[in-house]
Amino acid sequence: MTAATLLVELLTEELPPKALPRLGETFATKIAEGLKARGLAPADAPFRTFASPRRLAVTVAQVASEAAAKEVTEKLMPVSVALDAEGKPTPALLKKMAAKGIPADSVDTTLASFERRMDGKAEALFHTATVAGARLADVLAGIVQDAVKALPIPKVMRWGDGDATFVRPVHKLTLLHGADVVPGRVLDLDSGRTTRGHRFMSRGEIDIASADAYEPTLLAEGKVIPSFAERRADIERQLLAEAARQGALLDEYADLLDEVAALVEHPTVYVGEFEAEFLAVPQECLILTMRANQKYFPLFDGAGKLLNRFLIVSNMRVADPSNIIAGNARVVRPRLSDARFFFEQDKKQKLEARLPRLAPVVYHNKLGSQLERVERLEALAGAIAAQLHGDVTAAKRAARLAKADLVTDMVGEFPELQGIMGRYYALADGEGEVVADAIQAHYQPRFAGDALPAGNVAAAVALADKLDALVGFFGIGMVPTGDKDPFALRRAALGVLRILIEAPLPLELPRLIDTAAAGFKPGLLGAEGFAAQLQDFMFERLKNLLRETGRDGAVIDAVLALKPARIDLVPAKLAAVEAFRALPEAEALAAANKRIVNILKKAEGTPGEPDLALLQEDAEKALFHQVVEVAPLVRSHVANEDYTDALCALAGLRAAVDRFFEDVMVMAEEPLTRANRIALLAQLAGLMNQVADLSRLSA
């Protein structure tokens, strides 16, 4: 049972770069789990993941050649079935033993391997046997095959004459336990100790002396950095160092760094250059061309302006890189020329003139064309801007032109630039900066943490764009379900909520939904109750959004239970409830409120106003007078949005409320008395729950 490091490697054709990190992690984790599950490695045995363009590998420390034997106890059958009246084995027991390979001559209930004990209500016969541990040579191939099957691969392929399938052709299988090859066959390949290094810089096939020698051997002889994490870190170090030498900055590069690390095995960074005349093209076009198509890292000056230099991550380290640099410059030049051509051609036609071309572009077969949507956006953005006392004309103009860049050549080539190019073309057409900025910003926020549209005009257009989508798709019954959200409605809802809260904007959500719905043709939105459904959907998104900020769940539930129309006031209400909750009176008032809510649920009809003349007990009279006294103060604070003061004012009611429930029978037999007391509680509940449903704070 010798323990040593185990190496498993699959040598493949080039693997999908964006999937490589996940493939490597899954492959390594599943193999380590398989070994530990069979007792071949300790539960805390460390393992290392290796993933490069042409290999998936893992080394697991402290792997035994054979797992330790262990005792296994299993129930055979009830004693009443296993043994006859004389304590002899029945045919049923003998048959069971034969099926399990237990020698028949070992049947003796006094032997240590058999045990009689209670199992539920009946006595049962149990057998204990020593089971040999798994042998690495017997199970390793199966563990590797299971790991291969567990990989997140949407499509597989076949190669050669075999039946093996994988995401890419596999050429070699290495299984080493210490210095020994573990026999096995996976994906029609027999195991060995031979692998290959870099396609061009390696000396050829490489024998791995031992599992521990895998990484240093590949690096020294194969010119491969097999660890994805170390390769990524090496690329980043080189990028930052070269950018510093150039006196430049890199901007955001994490996603591209991950992808490039999955494309090279021996990275080296070089500096490329293009003609400065291309800088006349909007830099977003050039950046996208270099990053998306060529996997280059653009360089910027201190002000964030693009320079005519870029960094290349090459898979070759050579003494004279001039050919590599020249080749990359030669490849990128036509791409930049295309971008310049698209930009110049697009500017020849104004955005306004492009609007008719949106008519045949289908937005959704039930919701009409993009041109019909533009008409809705124009009206809705104007209405929202009016509510904000903003520039209605600018908002309507921006909304009218917001989708025109969808039919430009540049956006046709690079859809990621929609909105961005709209801004450039609007400025070229002579539109005002407010309109141009709103065209670009109306897609924001595009993702969590993205910037919000700045200013009322941009916010109005952004809200219109998202609300039109939400109302439209909910109105035709296209509601997100589970993990399916093909129209990105969750993102749209979060965008609306973030704009309303963070801007903040004093707009009422129900009114926004109704205004958006009014823009659709009569009868088009046929889903029953869609407006209420949409509002519930948005409050659920808001609840999740607030929980991500670390807010207490009970506080969030208390505030959102009232479905506040003004989303911008939610943070202030949350803060007020948190402050109220810290008061010594809070717990008792929350519990009383919960009791009141339950009483009101059971009451028949709608409670009216309490009548002082019908109050009998001193406790109910005292509560009535205190409610009358506190009510104007609470309402004044709520009207002034002083929610903390409003809730703190309620603290003075605790003694009267406690006394009321101690001394007064609410559900009195006399109908008028009972109805009057219920009316008093309804008035109290209305006063207490103006900011939040305080009953939600009660455990």
Side-chain angles (χ1 to χ4, degrees), residues 151-181:
L151 294 178
I153 302 172
K155 293 183 180 180
V156 296
M157 61 184 297
R158 285 188 171 86
W159 60 94
D161 298 327
D163 295 325
T165 60
F166 195 59
V167 64
R168 294 290 186 271
V170 182
H171 296 302
K172 286 185 178 295
L173 169 68
T174 300
L175 302 178
L176 285 181
H177 184 230
D180 300 324
V181 174

Side-chain angles (χ1 to χ4, degrees), residues 201-453:
M201 298 170 63
S202 173
R203 66 172 180 80
E205 291 198 341
I206 302 167
D207 284 342
I208 306 298
S210 70
D212 287 323
Y214 175 68
E215 188 174 14
T217 301
L218 264 185
L219 183 59
E221 299 184 33
K223 305 304 178 186
V224 170
I225 302 174
S227 166
F228 180 88
E230 292 182 10
R231 199 166 58 251
R232 185 186 188 279
D234 182 54
I235 295 171
E236 185 171 31
R237 178 188 58 77
Q238 293 187 56
L239 288 171
L240 293 173
E242 191 57 55
R245 278 192 289 271
Q246 296 294 319
L249 301 174
L250 279 169
D251 197 29
E252 294 294 329
Y253 60 84
D255 290 346
L256 182 57
L257 179 58
D258 287 339
E259 188 173 357
V260 168
L263 290 169
V264 297
E265 292 193 310
H266 194 88
T268 305
V269 172
Y270 302 115
V271 182
E273 188 175 306
F274 59 86
E275 290 80 357
E277 64 192 54
F278 287 116
L279 294 175
V281 179
Q283 70 177 38
E284 292 88 348
C285 308
L286 307 181
I287 294 167
L288 186 59
T289 295
M290 287 189 282
R291 287 173 56 91
N293 294 329
Q294 305 304 130
K295 314 306 176 189
Y296 299 156
F297 292 80
L299 292 174
F300 302 84
D301 65 16
K305 185 178 179 182
L306 181 68
L307 302 174
N308 65 321
R309 283 167 284 159
F310 54 89
L311 299 182
I312 306 156
V313 179
S314 174
N315 199 28
M316 296 285 291
R317 179 168 294 176
V318 295
D320 180 10
S322 57
N323 286 337
I324 294 175
I325 294 170
N328 279 275
R330 186 170 57 251
V331 169
V332 77
R333 193 173 295 114
R335 295 281 190 179
L336 301 181
S337 296
D338 287 345
R340 179 170 60 183
F341 174 77
F342 292 146
F343 182 56
E344 295 300 331
Q345 287 298 113
D346 286 341
K347 287 195 298 181
K348 292 179 180 179
Q349 186 177 30
K350 291 190 173 186
L351 292 177
E352 177 72 34
R354 293 179 182 274
L355 291 178
R357 292 174 56 189
L358 292 174
V361 179
V362 177
Y363 173 57
H364 187 275
N365 60 356
K366 292 184 179 180
L367 297 175
S369 69
Q370 282 286 5
L371 183 58
E372 290 173 306
R373 184 165 192 249
V374 163
E375 292 168 352
R376 294 196 301 268
L377 295 183
E378 186 176 357
L380 181 55
I384 295 173
Q387 292 180 39
L388 294 172
H389 306 291
D391 189 335
V392 174
T393 302
K396 294 179 71 173
R397 182 64 177 168
R400 179 171 177 79
L401 301 178
K403 304 298 180 182
D405 67 349
L406 296 178
V407 289
T408 61
D409 291 339
M410 185 72 82
V411 173
E413 182 72 14
F414 302 111
E416 302 93 329
L417 295 178
Q418 56 188 279
I420 295 171
M421 295 313 302
R423 178 183 180 278
Y424 281 107
Y425 295 143
L427 291 173
D429 292 348
E431 301 289 345
E433 283 195 16
V434 171
V435 170
D437 290 344
I439 291 173
Q440 176 172 340
H442 87 278
Y443 288 106
Q444 295 172 326
R446 299 172 189 252
F447 50 84
D450 191 19
L452 298 181

Side-chain angles (χ1 to χ4, degrees), residues 115 138 178 229 250 260 295 361 390 394-395 406 428 442 452 500 539 565 574 576 580 594 631 668 688:
E115 179 186 2
D138 295 336
L250 279 169
V260 168
K295 314 306 176 189
V361 179
L406 296 178
H442 87 278
L452 298 181
L500 293 177
F539 276 113
L574 291 171
F580 171 77
K594 186 174 184 178
M688 295 176 70

